[in-house]
Amino acid sequence: MYNCVICRYHEIATKGNNRGMFEKCLVDNIKHAVRAADFPCRVRRVRGRVWIEPEAAEDFAPAALETILAALKDVFGLESFSPARRLPVDMDAIRTAALDMAAAVFSGCSVGHPRFRVRARRSNKRFPLTSKEMEIDLVTALAERLGDRAFDIDLDEADITLGVEVRDEFSLIYFDIFRGPGGLPVGSNPRVLTLLSGGIDSPVAAWQIMKRGSPTDFITFHSAPYTPPETVDKVRGLVKVLNRFQRHGRLFIVNLAEFQKAVRDNCVERMRTVLYRRAMFRIAETVARREDCKALVTGEALGQVASQTVANMDTINRAVDMLVLRPLVGTDKLETIAVAERIGTMKLSSVQVPDSCTVFAPSSPATGVPVDLALREEAKIPEYARILEKIVEDIAFDA
Ligand code: ATP
Ligand code: MG
């Protein structure tokens, strides 16, 4: 029934000189997504749209089409997409195909007496019928075929909408318009490194950053033997879910335990969390520079916990000399949870496993550690730099 998928984008269309780069990136990502279906397809960009068509002159196999549509839901940059039938520029051909397809769509519709409308457009001004005339023609033909009682016409809100477009070289009909995730194609901004805990926030932060076009690698901190292997397994699971939205993000796995012991043995207890966090940032920065990631990303939200006060975020931030992106900084937890549910990370994030930050955690953490105090505490740790170097040398990674 369907012999093409039409993909629409919006924000990219507003780009000036860079537009070509964004479009190429989107086409590449769609090509990659389509591979999941294992059905030879052509993907190309024609005048502000991207078209997916079977390589052979045939319709999509239904299962392949379903896989393609499911994959497109995760391709950033897409506003919407529709499986469609491409036809000659000819009203009889359009009517015949529309009637055939409508019969299947009406019989599959869960509403007993559906509201229906036709939305026709023509960019081909030589076509003998106006948009309005096409709409009347098709509604009349459909009422004849299915009976007047098969549907109500409702132009504002319909259960079934038949879309028709008549262009210069071909025409198109479709019934479904699926929403894409919006944003910018992944790869249109530089690669970044996300500090990924097993919590709710950081996976959402990674998703937001990918949505704005940056592919991301991941770095996670554990404290074996004080945290169990499940701590890292959980993060691996999250990376797998998040990698649905990009080609590939690696996971760097860091054992912070030696450093945490040094903090426990040398520093003021209330400052431990801030000191851990500064070390995490420093290690992440080292890895980011080595791996050519241009910024760090965290799931911090202003005021959420003691380490996320303005004062502590400032002190933590000063540990590094690299841009730190905090896409959730102004987000409420409930909003973050809603996104986590939608993108499929919430279930995994809710599994309770010990977190690296809770190892030797102070019972009452300081909410405002000035940077000079943090520096003074760090100076108390013998061989601070050497401990971090050793930790970096021992980083494991999942390719
Ligand atoms: P999350 O839900 O993302 O864990 P959170 O609300 O629990 O966030 P914190 O534990 O204070 O807040 O962590 C703030 C940010 O620091 C996290 O969003 C994450 O980016 C980073 N972070 C914290 N712990 C780790 C860890 N063990 N490994 C990697 N990054 C971490
Ligand atoms: Mg956390």
Side-chain angles (χ1 to χ4, degrees):
M1 175 147 118
Y2 293 110
N3 59 8
C4 67
V5 178
I6 171 171
C7 302
R8 308 174 190 89
Y9 47 90
H10 169 69
E11 184 167 344
I12 303 171
T14 66
K15 301 281 170 200
N17 291 341
N18 286 336
R19 178 171 170 166
M21 181 276 284
F22 284 97
E23 288 179 328
K24 184 180 174 310
C25 197
L26 180 64
V27 168
D28 285 349
N29 293 347
I30 291 175
K31 279 183 182 163
H32 182 77
V34 158
R35 266 183 227 138
D38 203 15
F39 186 84
C41 290
R42 249 195 331 253
V43 178
R44 57 202 175 96
R45 152 171 57 125
V46 185
R47 264 185 259 134
R49 301 266 174 97
V50 177
W51 296 87
I52 309 172
E53 289 163 325
E55 220 164 75
E58 58 183 48
D59 291 356
F60 283 106
L65 183 62
E66 210 166 291
T67 309
I68 289 170
L69 297 176
L72 291 177
K73 291 203 167 86
D74 296 334
V75 176
F76 289 123
L78 283 181
E79 277 313 304
S80 70
F81 49 95
S82 299
R85 178 137 205 103
R86 196 179 151 124
L87 299 157
V89 183
D90 174 66
M91 194 60 213
D92 290 334
I94 293 172
R95 193 184 312 105
T96 308
L99 290 178
D100 283 352
M101 284 166 74
V105 171
F106 273 83
S107 68
C109 181
S110 54
V111 181
H113 190 72
R115 294 164 299 173
F116 175 68
R117 67 183 162 187
V118 181
R119 286 236 163 125
R121 274 197 302 166
R122 53 166 202 168
S123 53
N124 179 344
K125 299 297 176 203
R126 292 185 313 270
F127 194 68
L129 276 69
T130 64
S131 304
K132 198 91 238 133
E133 287 166 345
M134 278 193 271
E135 290 174 359
I136 294 167
D137 180 302
L138 290 168
V139 168
T140 312
L142 200 65
E144 267 170 33
R145 168 75 65 95
L146 300 178
D148 311 348
R149 288 162 191 271
F151 54 82
D152 282 331
I153 299 291
D154 191 330
L155 298 182
D156 298 323
E157 220 177 303
D159 302 302
I160 300 176
T161 302
L162 166 61
V164 184
E165 294 180 21
V166 178
R167 306 177 162 220
D168 288 337
E169 317 84 39
F170 59 87
S171 55
L172 268 185
I173 57 177
Y174 49 84
F175 284 92
D176 297 302
I177 300 182
F178 297 108
R179 274 176 62 90
L184 296 171
V186 179
S188 60
N189 266 319
R191 180 169 286 274
V192 295
L193 181 64
T194 301
L195 286 83
L196 190 65
S197 69
I200 295 169
D201 300 324
S202 44
V204 172
W207 180 84
Q208 303 267 36
I209 275 317
M210 289 188 277
K211 182 173 178 190
R212 296 309 298 167
S214 277
T216 184
D217 286 325
F218 304 96
I219 185 166
T220 194
F221 298 87
H222 66 96
S223 313
Y226 305 101
T227 54
E230 286 78 21
T231 299
V232 176
D233 290 342
K234 178 181 179 184
V235 175
R236 285 200 174 98
L238 287 167
V239 167
K240 210 164 153 196
V241 176
L242 291 167
N243 273 341
R244 272 203 345 253
F245 301 96
Q246 64 175 359
R247 295 289 171 87
H248 186 62
R250 292 166 300 172
L251 172 63
F252 297 94
I253 301 162
V254 188
N255 186 343
L256 202 64
E258 279 310 305
F259 176 75
Q260 292 173 297
K261 277 196 276 184
V263 169
R264 177 195 62 191
D265 297 342
N266 296 284
C267 306
V268 174
E269 179 178 336
R270 295 186 66 216
M271 297 187 196
R272 281 180 193 166
T273 313
V274 168
L275 299 175
Y276 292 174
R277 222 20 89 65
R278 278 168 60 86
M280 286 183 183
F281 270 43
R282 286 190 168 116
I283 293 166
E285 182 185 31
T286 304
V287 172
R289 292 199 191 282
R290 195 183 73 196
E291 304 296 330
D292 206 27
C293 297
K294 302 299 188 197
L296 302 179
V297 179
T298 74
E300 290 163 299
L302 191 58
Q304 200 180 80
V305 287
S307 60
Q308 294 172 29
T309 59
V310 170
N312 280 345
M313 274 169 73
D314 182 31
T315 296
I316 293 164
N317 202 53
R318 282 165 197 267
V320 294
D321 185 18
M322 181 177 250
L323 175 65
V324 180
L325 298 169
R326 298 176 174 88
L328 304 186
V329 73
T331 312
D332 295 352
K333 196 78 183 189
L334 289 178
E335 293 168 333
T336 305
I337 289 173
V339 179
E341 302 267 14
R342 221 173 61 228
I343 66 175
T345 53
M346 189 61 201
K347 216 169 136 202
L348 257 177
S349 290
S350 317
V351 177
Q352 293 295 322
V353 296
D355 182 282
S356 172
C357 298
T358 60
V359 171
F360 319 132
S363 50
S364 121
T367 52
V369 181
V371 71
D372 51 333
L373 264 188
L375 288 166
R376 208 178 64 199
E377 289 306 305
E378 284 168 356
K380 291 186 194 163
I381 299 175
E383 298 200 86
Y384 181 101
R386 180 64 206 130
I387 295 173
L388 291 203
E389 263 170 40
K390 176 82 178 61
I391 288 175
V392 170
E393 277 166 24
D394 292 342
I395 290 178
F397 82 93
D398 287 357

